[in-house]
Amino acid sequence: MQIFKQYIKITLIVALAVATIASTYTGNSIWIASKSANGASVGQQITIDIYATVAEPAHGFSAQIRYDPDCLELTDQHAAGLFADAGGFNAPQQDKTLVDMVYTLLGAVPGVMGEGLLAEVIFKVKKDCQSVIYLEKASLLARDDKGIAHVVPGTQLKDTSVQLNNLASNIPAPVSLPTQISQAPVTDDFNNQGPNSLSIDIPDISSVLIEPQQISIPAGIPLVFLIAMVTALLIFWAAIKLQKRNNMTVLASDVHVSNPRLASSRGNYPIQRRQVMIGRETGCDLQVNHPAVSRRHAQITCERGRYYIADIGSHNGTYLNGKRIGSGCVKLGNGDKIHLGSRVVFRFVVPPNGIVYLGRVI
């Protein structure tokens, strides 16, 4: 029973530890997207949208975006959507390739939850080029009871880049054109095609241009919670299996002495040596084949007619009359109960006239 209790404690500790780790994974996520990433001409504007899934109350956010200043010019940035009423500032950057922003809700207002737009960053195309915009850092902010904002742990970054292709040229990706050519006479009337007319079959490329779609991230149960539950169930199952093994009855055939002729038919095991080793190992003076017993579990020593017992580093412990034996030796008295682990029990017997022995208790 004691082993079972130990494993129950281990199960609870593991479940609590995993749940504590899981609590840092809040389901919050931030990502970027753009509906004007392709086809903008020189001088036109493109907008980079910052989206978020806010699974717990938040009072603001911070974000850092990297871009190519040779290709794009930053013209505006502002909070929007979920934090449209937030006030903020743009941190001065020596690195001209960064946009650094921090926005928080003003006043004593409740936190924001939901999924939607956080901010918009607007660039102007400076020249014909290709570029990539990166979301390098981002986090949600929450205020504590003192009004101090701190980072909400566990926010995940998803879709951290936007590819800008052929910005000024407004040309879609190259399409492989077939070269099915037939001859036609050269005339002023293109609709009058004769046997020698020239015609080129050009496929429909409208399917090549794909409108970017906003990504929706469901805020379900974090996977780590499921892992915690499965881990706890597995440990609990293992504890039950081990308890069943430890509940095995100790039969007479499970206990052996170094000299079988000294054992009586009633299951009494005499102590006729100065030191008697008890354990599961074959070389022990008293061998007990039970999973609760360690290979070298305990030792009984006789000193000047007095008997002592000591635990020698067993896994499940040695108990004398229900009290666990620590380091050192403990004196034995007539009728004392010796527990090896939780299920194997012997009684120490000192008869008035006879040999001291251990009696098996079932």
Side-chain angles (χ1 to χ4, degrees), residues 104-161:
T104 58
L105 296 173
L106 302 178
V109 295
V112 172
M113 294 179 63
E115 180 176 289
L117 186 65
L118 288 186
E120 294 178 334
V121 182
I122 301 174
F123 297 95
K124 183 174 72 175
V125 180
K126 295 173 63 175
K127 65 179 182 179
D128 186 4
C129 60
Q130 293 185 349
S131 181
V132 179
I133 295 178
Y134 297 97
L135 176 64
E136 288 203 342
K137 297 179 181 178
S139 59
L140 296 172
L141 304 176
R143 284 199 296 264
D144 56 21
D145 297 337
K146 298 180 180 179
I148 301 175
H150 60 86
V151 174
V152 177
T155 302
Q156 300 179 5
L157 299 185
K158 300 181 179 180
D159 298 327
T160 57
S161 64

Side-chain angles (χ1 to χ4, degrees), residues 277-333:
M277 181 68 65
I278 305 173
R280 202 174 68 249
E281 199 171 66
T282 305
C284 291
D285 301 305
L286 183 62
Q287 182 188 4
V288 183
N289 292 327
H290 192 276
V293 178
S294 299
R295 289 181 298 176
R296 297 172 67 87
H297 198 108
Q299 180 173 275
I300 296 177
T301 305
C302 179
E303 293 285 349
R304 297 180 180 179
R306 296 178 181 179
Y307 291 85
Y308 301 88
I309 186 170
D311 183 271
I312 51 176
S314 67
H315 180 71
N316 296 318
T318 304
Y319 297 81
L320 182 62
N321 299 323
K323 185 177 180 180
R324 185 162 186 166
I325 299 174
S327 59
C329 299
V330 179
K331 184 180 178 181
L332 289 170

Side-chain angles (χ1 to χ4, degrees), residues 266-269 345-349 357-362:
R266 293 179 298 176
N268 297 331
Y269 306 97
V345 185
F346 291 96
R347 187 182 298 276
F348 180 75
V349 180
Y357 63 89
L358 293 179
R360 182 166 54 88
V361 178
I362 298 178

